[in-house]
Amino acid sequence: MKEVDLSISEHKRMTPLDVVKIRLQAQKNPFPKGKCFMYCNGLMDHICICENGNSKAWYKAPGHFNGTLDAFIKIIRMEGIRSLWSGLPPTLMMAVPATVIYFTCYDQLCAAFKVRMGDRSDLAPLFAGAIARVGSATVISPLELIRTKMQAEKQSYRELSDVIRSALHSEGWRSLWRGWGPTLLRDVPFSAMYWFNYEKGKVWLCEYYSCTDPTFSITFTAGAISGSIASIVTLPFDVVKTKRQVELGEMQTKNLSTQVSSSTYNVMKRIVAENGVSGLFAGFMPRLIKVAPACAIMISTYEFGKAFFRRYNQQKHGMTQLQPSA
């Protein structure tokens, strides 16, 4: 239960970073690659499209974010500080099942794989983390879709429910798992790399500091480093996931087919065409600032809790054995 309580409090503190990350990922570049726009006044936006890349033009893009700090300032100024906690209710609803399923499955699977894999038991955390994430990500995918829509656009629950009903009517229940593919492409490699690097890093740090059991600082450091590496590598899939989920309802409004450019590969191609390769790493800084400390705090507290209850059970078992039989 300690991991669940920590997960809830962590999500409350990190939600503003999540909102900023998703806004940066969901925004459209006012200068699509290869084109420039001339802006005249507030009544007419695009009065000229210059295909010639050498032409120069001024374009004003209200609400366009130029970075993490700029996004924070503009969101607070235009929507109020409470907007930084958009999507908090579904986030908190996700925290309990995601944490329970994820950590429980990982521990059980890792122990089973270590027994079966023998000499290759060092790979057990990699496979256990990947499989555990598939289960938790699948269960919470509809809640993550709702959270992403609320954080990407300032919507009321009524407006959001109308969008979801429309999507259910046109696409069926599968629409609630929109973005599930890129979510798995983001989360499964993330978990595999995270647990593998964490276990390796923990062992290396224990050997370096000549300690038999990992201390809180060792688990904290190993968790932060492994989380940072995994978050950077999987960021492009996080961007694709956000794009796919934000599009829910937009296709129907524009009378476009939901099957057009909907695969992960096609969405990636579209992002690169519009924003360049850097578009695949939108929201890099807020994601890194969120994930690194979150992974460090979560895993160090998790390891501390496991060690505490292990010692408690051992002491209790020892006291039971010492008690004389009646």
Side-chain angles (χ1 to χ4, degrees):
M1 289 302 295
K2 181 180 285 188
E3 286 77 20
V4 174
D5 293 338
L6 181 67
S7 178
I8 291 173
S9 61
E10 196 68 29
H11 279 302
K12 288 180 180 178
R13 290 194 296 269
M14 296 299 182
T15 294
L17 288 168
D18 228 7
V19 171
V20 170
K21 181 205 72 171
I22 287 175
R23 294 293 184 92
L24 288 169
Q25 292 175 347
Q27 72 177 351
K28 293 179 173 60
N29 194 335
F31 281 101
K33 197 175 179 182
K35 296 182 180 179
C36 63
F37 296 88
M38 184 180 294
Y39 184 86
C40 182
N41 54 37
L43 300 177
M44 297 178 62
D45 286 353
H46 313 141
I47 63 171
C48 178
I49 298 179
C50 310
E51 296 293 343
N52 183 357
N54 296 322
S55 300
K56 294 183 179 181
W58 292 95
Y59 179 79
K60 185 178 180 181
H64 184 75
F65 306 126
N66 297 316
T68 302
L69 182 60
D70 184 57
F72 266 112
I73 294 171
K74 286 181 178 177
I75 291 171
I76 294 172
R77 184 184 300 162
M78 292 185 291
E79 303 175 24
I81 195 168
R82 292 180 62 184
S83 293
L84 292 175
W85 279 268
S86 300
L88 183 58
T91 299
L92 297 181
M93 290 175 64
M94 287 165 49
V96 175
T99 303
V100 171
I101 295 171
Y102 184 47
F103 280 99
T104 303
C105 289
Y106 172 76
D107 267 343
Q108 298 297 319
L109 289 169
C110 191
F113 283 142
K114 283 183 178 179
V115 173
R116 290 178 176 273
M117 296 178 72
D119 295 338
R120 306 301 300 166
S121 60
D122 56 333
L123 296 176
L126 189 148
F127 293 108
I131 297 172
R133 180 58 74 181
V134 171
S136 63
T138 302
V139 170
I140 67 171
S141 186
L143 287 172
E144 185 163 12
L145 181 142
I146 293 171
R147 181 193 65 172
T148 302
K149 286 292 290 182
M150 292 182 68
Q151 291 179 341
E153 308 161 14
K154 192 176 181 181
Q155 289 186 333
S156 65
Y157 282 101
R158 185 171 183 176
E159 291 171 331
L160 184 61
S161 63
D162 290 340
V163 170
I164 292 174
R165 275 199 299 269
S166 174
L168 286 172
H169 179 73
S170 59
E171 299 180 51
W173 286 99
R174 290 181 60 187
S175 62
L176 294 179
W177 275 264
R178 174 182 285 270
W180 177 76
T183 297
L184 290 186
L185 289 173
R186 176 198 67 179
D187 288 353
V188 172
F190 179 96
S191 293
M193 284 187 290
Y194 171 76
W195 284 107
F196 180 78
N197 290 330
Y198 168 72
E199 296 291 352
K200 288 287 187 182
K202 183 175 65 173
V203 171
W204 183 84
L205 288 172
C206 282
E207 292 176 353
Y208 182 81
Y209 290 105
S210 303
C211 56
T212 54
D213 295 321
T215 62
F216 185 88
S217 59
I218 286 177
T219 57
F220 188 94
T221 303
I225 294 173
S226 58
S228 299
I229 295 171
S231 66
I232 293 170
V233 173
T234 58
L235 181 57
F237 297 110
D238 187 49
V239 176
V240 174
K241 186 270 301 181
T242 298
K243 292 283 188 183
R244 292 281 288 114
Q245 292 180 334
V246 169
E247 285 173 356
L248 180 71
E250 294 181 0
M251 294 293 191
Q252 291 89 345
T253 303
K254 297 175 183 177
N255 293 322
L256 297 175
S257 170
T258 56
Q259 301 301 317
V260 176
S261 300
S262 62
S263 69
T264 300
Y265 177 70
N266 285 332
V267 173
M268 279 187 166
K269 282 176 59 180
R270 192 167 73 234
I271 292 171
V272 172
E274 293 176 355
N275 304 319
V277 176
S278 61
L280 293 174
F281 293 89
F284 167 82
M285 190 54 65
R287 176 167 166 81
L288 187 61
I289 294 172
K290 173 196 169 184
V291 170
C295 286
I297 295 169
M298 183 66 70
I299 195 63
S300 54
T301 307
Y302 173 69
E303 293 280 19
F304 177 82
K306 279 205 308 182
F308 172 81
F309 286 110
R310 188 185 300 115
R311 289 194 300 268
Y312 175 80
N313 289 332
Q314 288 173 350
Q315 291 173 1
K316 187 177 179 180
H317 181 67
M319 290 177 64
T320 303
Q321 287 183 333
L322 290 174
Q323 287 179 356
S325 57

